[in-house]
Amino acid sequence: MKQSIGIGLMGMGVVGGGVVDVLFDKEERLAKLIGAPLSLKRVLVRDVNKPRAVGLCDGMLTANADDILDNPDVDIVIEVMGGEQPALDYIMKSISLGKHVVTANKEVMAKHGAEILTHAREQGVQVLFEASVAGGTPIIAPLLRDLVTNDVISINGIINGTTNYILTKMAQEGQDFGVALSAAQELGYAESDPTNDVEGIDAAYKLAILSTLAFRARVSDADVYSEGITHLTAQDFRYASELGYAIKLLAIASKTDGAVHARVHPAMVRSDVMLAKVDGVLNAIEVQTDLAGRVLFHGRGAGDLPTTSAVLADVVNIARDVVGGAPPPPPPSLSDDVSISPISALETKYYMRLNVAERPGVFAQILKVLGDLDISIASAIQKETDDAARRAEIVLMTHRAKEASVQSALQAIGRLEVVNEIGSLIRVEEWD
Ligand code: NAP
Ligand code: HSE
C-alpha cells in the first residue's frame, strides 16, 4: 500500500494558489479521506522569481516541466496552467508516463478531450476535469455517474461567471461594460485574457464538454455556435426590462433525431424564469432528462476556492483508487455517429433594435422586408426620437421565426437607406 500520494502541480495562479492553500490547510482531513497523505512534490510556474502570496519551501517552484513529468514520486499531476499549449503536451506526457491527471483546463478538454480520454484508457490512468465547467458547482460527475441511466434531452445554463457578473452589474447598476469587466478581473473570475470570457469562447468550451458527456458524442468547441456580450448596450437592458425580460449569456444544447445543437449567445429570458434570477458570478445549469426530469445545478462558477473544491475532489477520488489499488473506472465511450445542427436551423423569437431616420414610411419599409421573409412582428415600439438629428430607435419583437430568414432580413434591412445602424439582435428564449 502506498505511504503517500505524490502531487505535481502545474500552475500556481488563481486556482493553483487556492490548491496549495487548501492542501496545507486541510492536510489532515485529506489524508483521512484518502487513507494516505498527499505530498506536494514540485510546482511548475513560468517565473520562479515572481512574489507569491503562498509560501512554499525552497526549491519547490520550478520552471522546468520535466521536474514533474520525470519525477517517479509524482502520482497525480494537477494541471491548472490554462491555455492549449504546453498544457496539452504536459497532460499527454503525464498520461504516457502512467501519471493520473486532474485538470481545470476547459480549452484543452473542449478541443482534445476525446484523444486525452482515449490515451488515458490505453494507459490505465484517470483524467478528471470537474473544475473545467462551473468551477465549484458539481456537474461533470453528476452527468457521468448520478444521471448515467438517463437520456439527456437538453442543457440550458449560465456557465461563465465573468460575463454573468458583468451583465448583472450592467442590468442592476447601469455600469459600463469596461468598469464591470475590471471588477471581475480583480476578483479573479476572468481568464488572464478576458477575450475568451466576453466573446463567449470560454462558455463554448464548457458547453462542448457538457454536450460531449451529456449526449455521449464527440462535440468540440468548433461545433458550438458562439457570440459574446461586447455589443450589448445600456439601452438593450432598459428595453428588455420594460418588456419583462432579463439578458443573460446562455449556453443551450439539445439532441434531436441524432443531431446535437449547441449554442452560446446573449438571450432574453422572461424575468420570472429561474435562469433570469441567477446573478453575479453564480452559474446555473438545468439538465432535462427522460427519467429524472429537470435537475438544477447552481453555485459558484469561478474563483480560487470554489475551483479548488472541484480540483481536490477529483484528486481525492483518484488518490483513493490509488491507495485502494482499484483499477481506474473506464472513461465514457463516445459515439462518432452524431451530426451537428447549425445555428441557421434554429427557430425562435427575436428582439431587434434599429437606429433609423425619423421620417414617414420607415416602419413600412422595414415591415415589408420582414413580411417578405415570413417574419411576423409581435410588438414594435419607437423609442428616443432625436428630433434635431431626425433619428429614431425602433425596437421589434418577432414571433417565432427561422434564424436563416432573420439573418437575411437583417442584411436587407441594413441596406435600406433609412436605416442608420442595426443596434442589436438578441434571441428570445421562451421557457416554462
Ligand atoms: P492564472 O491565474 O493565469 O495562473 C496560471 C498559472 O500557470 C501561473 O502560475 C503561471 O505561472 C502558470 N503558467 C502558465 N503558463 C505556463 C507555462 N507555459 N509554463 C509554466 N507555468 C505556466 O490562471 P487561473 O485563473 O488559475 O486558471 C488556471 C486554469 O483553471 C485555466 O485552465 C482556467 O481556465 C481554469 N479555471 C479557472 C477558474 C478561475 O476562476 N480562475 C475557474 C475554473 C477553471 P506564473 O505564476 O509564473 O505566471
Ligand atoms: N473565467 C471563467 C468564468 C472561470 O468566468 O466562468 C471559470 O471557468
Side-chain angles (χ1 to χ4, degrees), residues 23 30 103 139 183-184 192 284 318 330 388-389:
L23 279 179
L30 288 164
T103 179
I139 178 67
S192 340
I318 294 175

Side-chain angles (χ1 to χ4, degrees), residues 11-16 44-47 50 52 80-83 86 104-106 131 135 188-189 191-192 301-303 307:
M12 201 176 135
V14 174
V15 181
L44 177 71
V45 289
R46 239 179 325 224
D47 176 2
K50 193 156 125 183
R52 309 271 162 189
V80 284
M81 295 164 40
N105 195 324
K106 69 241 29 185
Y189 302 150
E191 301 294 312
S192 340
T307 311

Side-chain angles (χ1 to χ4, degrees), residues 290-308:
D290 60 343
L291 305 179
R294 289 181 187 199
V295 187
L296 176 67
F297 301 88
H298 182 217
R300 294 184 76 82
D304 55 354
L305 295 182
T307 311
T308 293

Side-chain angles (χ1 to χ4, degrees), residues 56-283:
L56 287 172
C57 56
D58 282 351
M60 183 62 84
L61 289 180
T62 176
N64 182 358
D66 291 341
D67 288 339
I68 290 177
L69 296 169
D70 294 337
N71 186 333
D73 295 332
V74 170
D75 302 292
I76 303 175
V77 171
I78 302 176
E79 185 280 304
V80 284
M81 295 164 40
E84 186 175 3
Q85 286 293 8
L88 173 63
D89 267 359
Y90 296 167
I91 289 173
M92 293 302 259
K93 278 185 190 153
S94 301
I95 296 170
S96 298
L97 291 162
K99 298 182 193 304
H100 304 279
V101 175
V102 171
T103 179
N105 195 324
K106 69 241 29 185
E107 179 172 2
V108 161
M109 289 313 294
K111 291 180 175 168
H112 306 283
E115 68 188 274
I116 289 172
L117 294 179
T118 302
H119 191 38
R121 184 198 294 265
E122 288 162 359
Q123 294 297 313
V125 298
Q126 294 193 58
V127 175
L128 298 185
F129 44 100
E130 182 62 63
S132 65
V133 181
T137 307
I139 178 67
I140 289 177
L143 280 176
L144 287 177
R145 194 187 51 216
D146 310 291
L147 295 171
V148 71
T149 53
N150 287 253
D151 281 331
V152 175
I153 298 159
S154 65
I155 297 171
N156 294 316
I158 293 174
I159 52 177
N160 182 271
T162 302
T163 45
N164 203 42
Y165 178 89
I166 293 170
L167 295 181
T168 303
K169 291 285 175 191
M170 290 176 80
Q172 293 179 354
E173 296 172 27
Q175 269 188 13
D176 280 343
F177 173 80
V179 174
L181 171 60
S182 300
Q185 284 176 299
E186 276 165 31
L187 290 163
Y189 302 150
E191 301 294 312
S192 340
D193 175 358
T195 313
N196 279 3
D197 289 307
V198 299
E199 295 297 350
I201 298 165
D202 175 87
Y205 290 153
K206 293 168 179 169
L207 189 61
I209 296 170
L210 290 182
S211 302
T212 297
L213 302 178
F215 305 125
R216 299 290 198 269
R218 286 171 197 263
V219 180
S220 86
D221 59 320
D223 298 322
V224 179
Y225 172 81
S226 68
E227 250 176 52
I229 63 164
T230 50
H231 61 285
L232 296 174
T233 64
Q235 291 108 292
D236 294 319
F237 286 92
R238 216 169 42 241
Y239 299 152
S241 165
E242 282 173 26
L243 292 161
Y245 289 91
I247 302 175
K248 294 290 181 188
L249 183 71
L250 293 186
I252 299 171
S254 58
K255 187 175 164 197
T256 324
D257 301 330
V260 171
H261 180 74
R263 55 195 162 103
V264 168
H265 53 72
M268 285 192 177
V269 280
R270 276 201 331 268
S271 310
D272 58 351
V273 306
M274 183 278 300
L275 285 180
K277 297 175 193 157
V278 175
D279 286 330
V281 73
L282 289 175
N283 282 196

